[in-house]
Amino acid sequence: MNMNIPETDQGAIKVSEVSIAQLSRGLYRSTAAAFKELVSNAWDADAASVRIDTNYPDFNFISCVDNGPGMTLEQFLNYFNKQGIGYCFKRKGNKNITDKYERPIIGRLGIGMLAIGQLCHSFEIESHYINQQGKGEAYKAEIILLDESIPLLDEKLSDKNVEKEEIEVGKWRYDSKIPYDESKQGFRIYSADVRDTFTQEMKASIDSNIKASLAFDFSTLHKRFYDETKKSIRERMSYLENVWELSILCPLPYYEKKDYPFFLDSFNTSDEEFKDALKLIEDYQSRFRIYNFRVIFDGIDLKRHIQFPTEYDTTPRIFYTHNDEIVAGRQLKYSGYIFAQTNAITPLELNGLQIRLRGVGIGGYDSTFLKYYKQIETIRSRWVSGEIFVEVGLESALNIDRDSFNEHDEHFKKLQSELHEKLDKVFNIMESIAKVKRDVKRESKDRTIHENLESIIKENSDGRFELLERELGRGAPLVSVNREQGEIILNTSLSPLKKKKANMIIRHIASAYYIAKSTAKNSEDEFDIFYRLVKDILAELV
Amino acid sequence: MTIPDWDNYICKHCARYYGWLPASQEFAARIRKNHVKYFTLSDTQAIDIFMLEMEGILVRDGNKMLPEVVICEEEAGKIPIILDVVRPPLREAVIYGRLQDLLTYEEADDNELSSAWARSYEGRKRKKVKEGHDKLVSFFPFDIVNFDPNDNLLNPSLKNNKLYQALERIFELQKDTDTFLLMVTTPIYDVAIGTEDKFKSDFQRNTEKYPEFSSSLKNSFGVINFNGVEEHKKIAICFVKSLIYPAALKSGWSCSHKGIYVYENPKCNKYLDAVIECVKTSDEKAKNSYIADLVRVTENMPEYYPKSVSSKDKKIISHLESIKAFREAGRQLDLQ
């Protein structure tokens, strides 16, 4: 046995520098998710607006400018020098809401600023703020994440001394204090050293047609692009997808001109769940108005532009869900609406459940419904879209990318099981609504076919035959012809196949055979009539 | 060089109002285009852009964009402000980089760097210059070029002055048009010794070579020697003769000065602003037109706006205010 290793021991678990260093490589699944982090920083800073620009249509420059109180030089040095990446002062002293607008604080780890590092190799910071003595101060700084002088992380990790050394992931410098400018009050982060991959992807997604009709008014942008989307927002390519995704993820009110994410006249307004859901939306809207926050992306004032139902004549319903209880010793409180219609929702990115934590969308709409296995393989899962607003709890389940959850966290598990229970009800109700609709539709189709066949029979037999449907029992043939009475009778008691539709087709094709046989003047005519009837039947039924 | 507060820089607005504006109006009316193609180093307040928009020379399209406006900006931190102020995004992006670096960029400079671009911070910076150069060059020719770089054309001396080389490049790059309007601004309070020497020798040589010039000097100032002419007037003459004409002539342009304006900055240092109409021409024609233009410049220009007087010019103050109000009204409209 090695003498230096005691037989038993205990101690605290520490985090290696390497783990933190990995964060600088980028954490976010999409461009919009990275931008969302910068937006969240501005939200937490009590900025009234944050403006992101990409220097459209060249996309060779990124900037994020907010008009909050700015980051003091001391905070900057704490972050980049003293404490290191990951240091966060936002929630110090159990602070849970911001000072000015009383917004729920989003950030927990001090890594949001590095989100821009996912899109560029170096960036600059400019901050104008009022110091503790009430005096205006400002500074500029530069952060370089990629240069020959900075060892690549992989090289560093394979270095045998890695465990002893601090990992350098970049360089920073603040040149000097600059004059405070009141009009620049706030925090600015910008970069002309944008990754080529970002520039190229965005540029490639703006063709001349898009460029010609691109609007910088969100409502017009919606009309021209998103409302026209037949299937997925992806059809719109990266740039427009990014604008859309960011508008959905950010802590923003719904598109104000409509007030609700629903076309109210499409619903039964006396329904209790509908009323509760509407109240939830109203509360949300009024709260977000008080929060007074705007996100302007390339001049586009973003809003949560969601409108349901997305198809007419779909018998839409809205369900409401709410829970407030102690789970694993901690409070979990949430409310939400679940919208459902009897057709697929478009765009498909709105299909699923969007969990919103402190107003921010986590990971987009989850089309697995938090792994709801019962119905997920069926077409019906495309009918549903919901938003769940978590007010208290669930934060411990949030993964470091703030874009996904630890599925074994107690709060997540609770939320998951409650929502699945709700979804059972949603899918059952929607299925019964759809069934009624399907039956009505089928009856109408049956009627049409029957009428078509009847007119063909009459035409070909000079009115000698008529088509009837009767339950003749299992012993009787599928189709029988009573020449004397002039009747062709379909026996609806027989179901040779499992599927109702298949049985209907068989019954009608069999009747077509008898009709042709009974009404044709010769064998050539017999085939023509049969062929014509089969064609008509299949056109109606398939 | 310190950046003034353009919003309250009244003396500068004299040059815009009395010089840029009427010349642009006249030029735009003559070329009869739906959208005048305009190049500017507008800085963050973009007074020139909003003046030309307010006066109907620059017109926004159906998407509220300014379709033929190209802005160049060397300070990255100013780009978001420009994008915010000029709102909504221009149809073309702001070109990032120092104008003189972009226009004088040569491909050969970067042969060695190209392999290290991705990893090297400096390499990537050079690459940005190349991209900015390519982009900017692709926009030429313009109808109106506003060469107002907040830098000095007279210092360092012309031979080593990158800004002057950039001006020469502009004349070259305008080759695909027959005419354009050029506005050139430079401080004249800090002239390099080499530039002054050149001015002096060119001046003397021209008085000997061109009798029209010496007689116009005599008529205007009563003297024909360099030192006898008032400082800002002789700089204006020399600016035209030693800077503008050679650069223009090299690329086959004849120049007609619509006006030269000398004004003072808040610290009472003098700036010169020339408004020049350039027309493509043959060498011989150009030479003749230069003499006539030089005589006009000598006898009628520059107009001088000292701070003490022009800062109280009510017409100028009110026009500048109306531009700011126009700019703000557009922003408010966007917020609705």
Side-chain angles (χ1 to χ4, degrees):
Chain A
M1 190 182 178
N2 189 330
M3 294 297 287
N4 296 327
I5 301 175
E7 218 160 280
T8 58
D9 200 359
Q10 61 183 4
I13 299 167
K14 294 169 190 169
V15 176
S16 149
E17 296 274 356
V18 178
S19 315
I20 302 296
Q22 292 281 4
L23 300 180
S24 67
R25 285 181 151 188
L27 284 167
Y28 307 104
R29 132 193 90 83
S30 66
T31 306
F35 281 134
K36 180 189 81 172
E37 283 308 295
L38 299 174
V39 169
S40 299
N41 275 358
W43 164 277
D44 286 346
D46 259 339
S49 72
V50 56
R51 193 184 158 101
I52 296 172
D53 281 292
T54 62
N55 206 20
Y56 165 94
D58 281 5
F59 307 108
N60 55 0
F61 183 90
I62 292 172
S63 62
C64 178
V65 174
D66 75 43
N67 61 356
M71 185 188 215
T72 66
L73 187 56
E74 193 190 353
Q75 286 166 341
F76 170 82
L77 291 171
N78 253 332
Y79 186 80
F80 282 103
N81 191 30
K82 222 164 138 190
Q83 312 278 2
I85 297 168
Y87 167 72
C88 185
F89 51 85
K90 290 176 186 173
R91 300 210 190 183
K92 256 185 165 179
N94 280 331
K95 210 173 146 189
N96 212 21
I97 54 168
T98 64
D99 293 330
K100 192 174 176 186
Y101 295 113
E102 300 186 346
R103 299 170 184 159
I105 294 172
I106 297 167
R108 287 189 308 155
L109 300 167
I111 53 171
M113 198 201 297
L114 280 182
I116 198 168
Q118 195 156 320
L119 309 170
C120 59
H121 298 302
S122 66
F123 58 93
E124 288 172 66
I125 285 170
E126 189 177 329
S127 184
H128 294 253
Y129 58 95
I130 304 291
N131 68 13
Q132 283 182 331
Q133 289 72 45
K135 213 181 133 212
E137 280 184 355
Y139 65 93
K140 264 185 180 181
E142 187 172 32
I143 287 89
I144 301 171
L145 298 171
L146 181 69
D147 187 38
E148 290 154 324
S149 61
I150 302 165
L152 290 174
L153 195 55
D154 289 334
E155 285 170 12
K156 208 69 205 164
L157 291 175
S158 55
D159 188 328
K160 59 182 176 186
N161 295 318
V162 65
E163 66 275 10
K164 291 180 194 161
E165 289 181 26
E166 284 189 348
I167 305 286
E168 180 187 334
V169 296
K171 292 182 185 300
W172 60 270
R173 64 165 173 249
Y174 77 92
D175 287 341
S176 60
K177 291 189 178 180
I178 54 170
Y180 170 76
D181 179 345
E182 198 186 343
S183 71
K184 288 183 171 178
Q185 167 74 46
F187 187 69
R188 307 167 165 251
I189 187 163
Y190 47 83
S191 173
D193 192 6
V194 176
R195 286 180 189 237
D196 283 348
T197 47
F198 171 81
T199 303
Q200 282 157 12
E201 185 182 309
M202 292 295 149
K203 268 177 136 172
S205 70
I206 301 286
D207 63 21
S208 54
N209 289 335
I210 293 179
K211 208 172 167 189
S213 50
L214 198 68
F216 293 87
D217 159 71
F218 200 47
S219 160
T220 314
L221 193 70
H222 247 272
K223 266 185 218 139
R224 291 192 191 161
F225 293 99
Y226 304 123
D227 294 347
E228 301 298 314
T229 298
K230 295 278 174 261
K231 207 173 171 189
S232 164
I233 291 292
R234 286 236 164 101
E235 292 164 27
R236 300 290 161 205
M237 310 282 282
S238 289
Y239 180 70
L240 286 165
E241 184 189 14
N242 180 56
V243 174
W244 188 89
E245 192 182 340
L246 193 60
S247 71
I248 291 294
L249 293 175
C250 285
L252 292 169
Y254 294 101
Y255 181 54
E256 281 157 14
K257 285 179 189 161
K258 304 270 187 206
D259 253 340
Y260 302 103
F262 315 120
F263 294 105
L264 297 187
D265 52 8
S266 303
F267 300 92
N268 172 5
T269 50
S270 61
D271 180 88
E272 281 309 311
E273 290 207 45
F274 175 81
K275 283 182 193 166
D276 288 338
L278 217 55
K279 188 170 179 323
L280 171 73
I281 300 294
E282 280 164 1
D283 287 350
Y284 178 91
Q285 279 292 75
S286 61
R287 240 188 313 150
F288 273 74
R289 282 197 191 107
I290 293 164
Y291 291 154
N292 188 33
F293 187 58
R294 291 171 65 206
V295 179
I296 300 148
F297 186 86
D298 279 346
I300 307 163
D301 204 342
L302 301 183
K303 292 281 184 286
R304 296 241 309 288
H305 203 306
I306 300 169
Q307 285 289 281
F308 291 126
T310 59
E311 297 268 341
Y312 291 100
D313 192 27
T314 55
T315 330
R317 286 283 296 267
I318 289 171
F319 302 87
Y320 174 72
T321 179
H322 172 79
N323 198 17
D324 184 0
E325 64 179 297
I326 303 296
V327 179
R330 292 168 288 132
Q331 188 187 7
L332 173 65
K333 184 180 176 189
Y334 66 86
S335 314
Y337 72 85
I338 297 175
F339 165 82
Q341 61 183 31
T342 50
N343 253 347
I345 281 166
T346 52
L348 63 84
E349 283 82 357
L350 281 178
N351 169 226
L353 288 181
Q354 171 72 79
I355 308 294
R356 304 192 78 90
L357 198 55
R358 296 175 171 255
V360 178
I362 307 297
Y365 281 76
D366 175 4
S367 59
T368 72
F369 299 92
L370 283 70
K371 301 199 170 166
Y372 180 72
Y373 293 110
K374 290 179 200 167
Q375 305 273 4
I376 208 65
E377 294 303 328
T378 73
I379 191 85
R380 286 180 285 284
S381 67
R382 294 282 315 276
W383 299 350
V384 174
S385 174
E387 288 184 283
I388 310 299
F389 306 95
V390 180
E391 284 172 56
V392 186
L394 198 68
E395 280 195 293
S396 57
L398 200 57
N399 288 330
I400 198 163
D401 62 356
R402 304 187 51 81
D403 216 35
S404 58
F405 293 105
N406 168 9
E407 291 172 8
H408 294 287
D409 177 272
E410 291 82 354
H411 276 197
F412 182 83
K413 275 281 168 235
K414 179 70 185 172
L415 178 71
Q416 188 184 40
S417 68
E418 294 282 333
L419 288 178
H420 287 180
E421 207 173 295
K422 187 76 191 176
L423 285 168
D424 286 344
K425 182 185 164 191
V426 171
F427 284 119
N428 281 337
I429 291 175
M430 293 316 289
E431 177 52 34
S432 57
I433 291 172
K435 189 177 176 301
V436 170
K437 282 185 77 180
R438 270 199 309 273
D439 288 348
V440 169
K441 205 171 164 187
R442 192 176 292 136
E443 270 171 30
S444 149
K445 265 188 182 176
D446 275 356
R447 223 176 7 257
T448 309
I449 291 167
H450 195 86
E451 281 164 11
N452 284 349
L453 287 172
E454 209 159 44
S455 70
I456 291 167
I457 292 164
K458 275 188 183 158
E459 191 190 315
N460 285 285
S461 65
D462 300 325
R464 282 180 292 130
F465 286 101
E466 67 172 327
L467 187 66
L468 301 169
E469 282 188 4
R470 285 200 188 132
E471 288 194 10
L472 300 175
R474 290 173 126 359
L478 192 63
V479 180
S480 49
V481 180
N482 185 338
R483 285 176 182 276
E484 285 156 19
Q485 299 290 323
E487 289 173 345
I488 295 174
I489 304 153
L490 306 182
N491 182 4
T492 52
S493 307
L494 283 180
S495 301
L497 294 172
K498 274 184 187 168
K499 288 197 172 172
K500 206 172 173 184
K501 192 174 174 182
N503 282 322
M504 204 198 315
I505 293 172
I506 281 192
R507 204 178 296 131
H508 281 102
I509 288 176
S511 69
Y513 171 77
Y514 283 106
I515 291 162
K517 216 171 159 48
S518 312
T519 59
K521 294 177 179 80
N522 53 48
S523 62
E524 248 175 57
D525 196 25
E526 189 178 313
F527 177 77
D528 282 349
I529 293 169
F530 179 70
Y531 176 73
R532 195 147 50 91
L533 287 171
V534 168
K535 209 167 74 176
D536 285 349
I537 291 163
L538 294 179
E540 274 301 324
L541 288 177
V542 181
Chain B
M1 200 165 269
T2 53
I3 309 286
D5 172 12
W6 305 110
D7 269 6
N8 297 300
Y9 192 174
I10 315 257
C11 301
K12 166 89 184 173
H13 197 58
C14 290
R16 289 194 203 105
Y17 182 76
Y18 294 116
W20 298 1
L21 182 57
S24 302
Q25 280 169 327
E26 191 199 318
F27 188 78
R30 192 143 27 91
I31 60 170
R32 287 185 188 174
K33 276 186 174 177
N34 286 339
H35 295 288
V36 170
K37 197 169 178 185
Y38 180 61
F39 174 78
T40 176
L41 302 149
S42 68
D43 210 336
T44 51
Q45 284 121 318
I47 298 283
D48 60 330
I49 292 176
F50 286 99
M51 175 178 79
L52 296 180
E53 188 191 345
M54 185 177 84
E55 300 291 352
I57 297 161
L58 299 178
V59 183
R60 288 187 189 261
D61 66 11
N63 290 325
K64 299 188 200 166
M65 291 187 186
L66 285 167
E68 299 280 12
V69 175
V70 175
I71 301 173
C72 182
E73 175 54 54
E74 67 176 88
E75 262 187 63
K78 286 185 175 178
I79 294 178
I81 308 173
I82 292 171
L83 292 170
D84 183 20
V85 168
V86 182
R87 62 146 200 112
L90 296 152
R91 188 174 288 175
E92 298 305 337
V94 173
I95 296 172
Y96 169 59
R98 204 162 154 248
L99 182 68
Q100 49 266 55
D101 293 339
L102 301 183
L103 285 176
T104 60
Y105 171 85
E106 284 185 31
E107 199 84 32
D109 295 353
D110 281 333
N111 284 345
E112 289 168 25
L113 266 171
S114 55
S115 60
W117 270 346
R119 178 87 193 269
S120 151
Y121 175 67
E122 287 304 322
R124 290 195 303 273
K125 269 191 170 175
R126 284 296 301 161
K127 189 180 170 224
K128 291 286 160 196
V129 175
K130 179 193 164 13
E131 286 169 357
H133 161 267
D134 293 350
K135 185 80 192 175
L136 181 53
V137 165
S138 75
F139 286 122
F140 278 86
F142 291 94
D143 297 315
I144 302 176
V145 175
N146 191 347
F147 191 85
D148 183 6
N150 200 44
D151 210 336
N152 199 337
L153 267 169
L154 311 183
N155 195 355
S157 59
L158 297 189
K159 254 191 258 172
N160 306 313
N161 196 314
K162 229 176 163 182
L163 197 61
Y164 183 57
Q165 289 161 22
L167 183 63
E168 288 181 309
R169 274 292 279 157
I170 286 176
F171 281 110
E172 274 173 52
L173 291 165
Q174 285 290 106
K175 62 182 184 302
D176 292 330
T177 186
D178 292 328
T179 179
F180 70 101
L181 191 67
L182 174 67
M183 275 96 80
V184 183
T185 308
T186 181
I188 54 171
Y189 62 88
D190 178 22
V191 182
I193 294 170
T195 308
E196 199 166 345
D197 289 347
K198 182 173 168 48
F199 280 2
K200 198 171 181 177
S201 67
D202 284 357
F203 190 95
Q204 290 308 134
R205 204 176 54 248
N206 283 304
T207 51
E208 288 156 19
K209 205 171 167 187
Y210 302 109
E212 304 97 311
F213 177 49
S214 29
S215 64
S216 72
L217 280 171
K218 191 132 194 158
N219 290 342
S220 306
F221 310 110
V223 291
I224 57 165
N225 65 316
F226 184 76
N227 291 333
V229 180
E230 208 179 328
E231 187 72 11
H232 71 268
K233 294 198 174 183
K234 78 182 171 204
I235 288 186
I237 294 166
C238 293
F239 174 82
V240 168
K241 180 66 198 88
S242 300
L243 266 88
I244 300 298
Y245 291 161
L249 198 57
K250 219 171 16 175
S251 301
W253 294 98
S254 87
C255 295
S256 163
H257 281 77
K258 310 299 282 181
I260 295 179
Y261 311 89
V262 172
Y263 57 90
E264 288 176 345
N265 75 358
K267 289 179 182 165
C268 292
N269 294 318
K270 287 192 181 71
Y271 278 70
L272 178 146
D273 200 319
V275 180
I276 312 153
E277 191 176 316
C278 306
V279 179
K280 203 173 259 173
T281 187
S282 68
D283 282 1
E284 200 46 46
K285 262 190 182 169
K287 203 184 279 177
N288 294 335
S289 71
Y290 281 140
I291 301 302
D293 189 53
L294 185 61
V295 167
R296 267 189 323 111
V297 168
T298 308
E299 292 177 356
N300 306 316
M301 298 173 200
E303 283 175 36
Y304 179 41
Y305 302 104
K307 189 184 163 203
S308 55
V309 179
S310 58
S311 62
K312 292 170 195 151
D313 185 332
K314 284 187 181 157
K315 208 188 321 179
I316 292 297
I317 294 169
S318 117
H319 191 252
L320 186 55
E321 287 304 319
S322 66
I323 294 168
K324 289 191 280 181
F326 175 76
R327 185 181 64 192
E328 193 49 36
R331 286 166 70 84
Q332 291 307 322
L333 207 65
D334 281 352
L335 292 179
Q336 283 169 15

